[in-house]
């Protein structure tokens, strides 16, 4: 009678311990799932925020490469402000080089090999100003007015700061590729060829959205008075 009582009092405890050890806590399933979901959503979240909150500006551009073998049909674009020759003429350029040589800014890597170039990876801002008026059928590009290693705390309504990164020989803004549907590739490339041919070249500009942190997303581009938005 005593042995039976002892068995009945210890067996449930043994079964309960084995059951608990084999059960996986729910947080061990939800935490990795939430982490993976946040990573997946984070990638498009920043461009989406920029599109929703950013200010529209227009940049002068030139198509470089009409085909991207990895991601389908696209236009590879280079901007006037991608050229070092354009930026060297702006106020703030010499100060940017001095800060780089002295390593005074957290945005600037070690000294450049030449006083005319920024070390690859150097981040800074180009301040752009809206055109005085636009009476043509296609939008006019914004004009670069100065460069700065730091994002300006205040700018008038007709100016905006665009974040760029040096590649050594040029500047990238995250706007260098614009993808388009395959069925319109020939139409667009023909328009571009006609706009760039002849004695009087037609303007090709890109409309982009720039948010308060200087991040930019391409929205559409214009070939003369024709607008392409995808």
């Amino acid at each position: 009678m005593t042995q039976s009582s002892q068995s009945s009092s210890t067996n449930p405890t043994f079964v309960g311990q084995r059951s608990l050890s084999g059960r996986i806590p729910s947080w061990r399933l939800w935490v990795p799932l939430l982490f993976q979901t946040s990573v997946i959503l984070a990638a498009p979240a920043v461009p989406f925020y920029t599109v929703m909150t950013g200010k529209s500006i227009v940049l002068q551009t030139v198509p470089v490469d009409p085909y991207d073998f990895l991601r389908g049909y696209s236009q590879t674009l280079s901007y006037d402000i991608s050229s070092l020759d354009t930026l060297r003429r702006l106020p703030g350029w010499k100060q940017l080089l001095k800060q780089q040589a002295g390593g005074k800014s957290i945005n600037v890597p070690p000294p450049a090999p030449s006083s005319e170039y920024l070390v690859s990876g150097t981040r800074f801002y180009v301040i752009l100003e809206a055109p005085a008026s636009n009476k043509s059928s296609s939008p006019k590009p914004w004009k670069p007015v100065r460069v700065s290693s730091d994002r300006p705390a205040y700018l008038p309504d007709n100016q905006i700061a665009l974040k760029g990164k040096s590649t050594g020989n040029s500047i990238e803004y995250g706007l260098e590729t614009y993808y388009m549907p395959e069925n319109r590739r020939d139409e667009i490339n023909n328009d571009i060829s006609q706009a760039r041919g002849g004695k009087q070249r037609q303007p090709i500009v890109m409309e982009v959205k720039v948010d308060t942190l200087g991040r930019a997303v391409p929205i559409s581009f214009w070939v003369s008075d024709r607008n392409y938005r995808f």
Side-chain angles (χ1 to χ4, degrees), residues 1-229:
M1 183 66 181
T2 303
Q3 291 178 350
S4 175
S5 175
Q6 290 177 346
S7 175
S8 62
S9 62
T10 56
N11 193 46
T13 302
F14 172 75
V15 172
Q17 290 175 343
R18 186 170 61 182
S19 176
L20 289 174
S21 63
R23 184 187 303 168
I24 300 176
S26 60
W27 66 268
R28 297 186 67 179
L29 298 175
W30 285 106
V31 169
L33 180 61
L34 289 174
F35 176 77
Q36 292 178 7
T37 303
S38 63
V39 170
I40 294 173
L41 294 177
V46 172
F48 179 76
Y49 171 82
T50 301
V51 171
M52 297 301 295
T53 65
K55 176 186 287 188
S56 290
I57 70 170
V58 177
L59 299 175
Q60 185 71 54
T61 185
V62 176
V64 177
D65 185 356
Y67 193 82
D68 183 329
F69 289 94
L70 296 179
R71 298 186 59 180
Y73 291 98
S74 65
Q75 284 290 342
T76 300
L77 304 167
S78 179
Y79 299 87
D80 278 4
I81 55 174
S82 303
S83 168
L84 293 178
D85 289 337
T86 300
L87 301 183
R88 288 187 187 118
R89 296 193 291 266
L90 298 178
W93 176 259
K94 292 183 179 179
Q95 183 65 24
L96 191 62
L97 292 177
K98 288 181 181 178
Q99 290 181 331
Q100 176 178 255
K104 295 181 180 178
S105 173
I106 58 175
N107 295 326
V108 181
S114 167
S115 60
E116 296 297 318
Y117 293 88
L118 294 175
V119 171
S120 179
T122 300
R123 298 180 185 275
F124 64 101
Y125 295 85
V126 178
I127 314 305
L128 298 137
E129 186 172 285
S133 62
N134 183 20
K135 297 181 180 179
S136 64
S137 56
S138 60
K140 295 294 184 184
W142 286 42
K143 178 183 177 182
V145 293
R146 63 186 173 94
V147 295
S148 172
S149 59
D150 300 315
R151 182 166 52 86
Y154 169 79
L155 288 173
D157 291 340
N158 66 336
Q159 293 187 357
I160 199 164
L162 175 63
K163 182 189 291 183
K165 184 178 74 173
S166 170
T167 64
N169 296 321
S170 67
I171 308 300
E172 291 183 346
Y173 300 93
L175 301 167
E176 285 68 32
T177 303
Y178 189 68
Y179 293 93
M180 56 190 178
E182 181 176 348
N183 60 358
R184 301 194 64 182
R185 175 177 64 96
D186 293 337
E187 170 196 352
I188 296 171
N189 284 332
N190 288 336
D191 282 349
I192 291 173
S193 296
Q194 293 178 9
R196 301 184 65 187
K199 295 182 179 179
Q200 187 172 5
R201 292 190 172 188
Q202 301 297 314
I204 301 176
V205 298
M206 174 65 75
E207 177 189 5
V208 307
K209 283 284 189 76
V210 183
D211 65 22
T212 55
L213 298 180
R215 299 173 300 203
V217 174
I219 299 299
S220 70
F221 73 96
W222 293 73
V223 182
S224 186
D225 60 349
R226 293 177 293 278
N227 180 233
Y228 297 97
R229 183 186 296 265

